[in-house]
Amino acid sequence: MKYHIAEINIARMKGVDINDPIMKEFVENLDAVNQIAESSEGFVWRLKDDTNNATSLNPYDDEQVIINVSVWQSIESLENFMYKTFHSEFLKRRKEWFVAYGTAHTAMWWVPAGHIPSTDEAEHKVQELRLLGPAPSAFNLRTMFSPTGEQIS
């Protein structure tokens, strides 16, 4: 069976909501970053609404929290997007827009190719990582696992 890597990233904004002036530059660049993601080698899918991003989705019933969920063909393709594209500039500057969000705010897990994770599934993976630490079923970029469960970092 072929597997893809799914990821969730949860962030708490400094602004009261996505329309707060402090979030302006972040919001103005969302379309560009999302376009880069979608045109990146290895991209499979990302969570989005009718405005082509996920900022209006509110699974935590908190206007200051936004999420990103995506699926990639491999960890390498996800890392390439994260660290070797325009997206990396926003990672470096994330403290301008976001505050710390708990012990785990990202999680990755393997899904069968063709599976699209729900927000409930993604949220469960973050909770699993918080409670159990990195494991083959939910892990982070520091401690990663292969689809067959072997630790690879």
Side-chain angles (χ1 to χ4, degrees), residues 79-95:
E79 288 180 320
N80 187 61
F81 164 70
M82 290 174 61
Y83 301 122
K84 296 181 180 172
T85 69
F86 181 57
H87 178 269
S88 67
E89 295 302 313
F90 285 82
L91 278 179
K92 291 174 194 169
R93 296 177 56 202
R94 66 185 172 265
K95 289 182 180 178

Side-chain angles (χ1 to χ4, degrees), residues 39-107:
S39 63
S40 292
E41 185 175 337
F43 172 83
V44 176
W45 171 88
R46 70 179 176 85
L47 179 67
K48 58 185 173 180
D49 61 18
D50 294 338
T51 64
N52 201 38
N53 63 60
T55 59
S56 71
L57 304 175
N58 192 356
Y60 292 97
D61 197 28
D62 185 336
E63 292 296 320
Q64 287 186 287
V65 175
I66 59 174
I67 67 168
N68 169 38
V69 181
S70 62
V71 177
W72 297 79
Q73 290 178 354
S74 66
I75 291 173
E76 294 78 20
S77 59
L78 172 59
E79 288 180 320
N80 187 61
F81 164 70
M82 290 174 61
Y83 301 122
K84 296 181 180 172
T85 69
F86 181 57
H87 178 269
S88 67
E89 295 302 313
F90 285 82
L91 278 179
K92 291 174 194 169
R93 296 177 56 202
R94 66 185 172 265
K95 289 182 180 178
E96 292 178 35
W97 305 294
F98 302 102
V99 297
Y101 187 85
T103 56
H105 61 276
T106 63

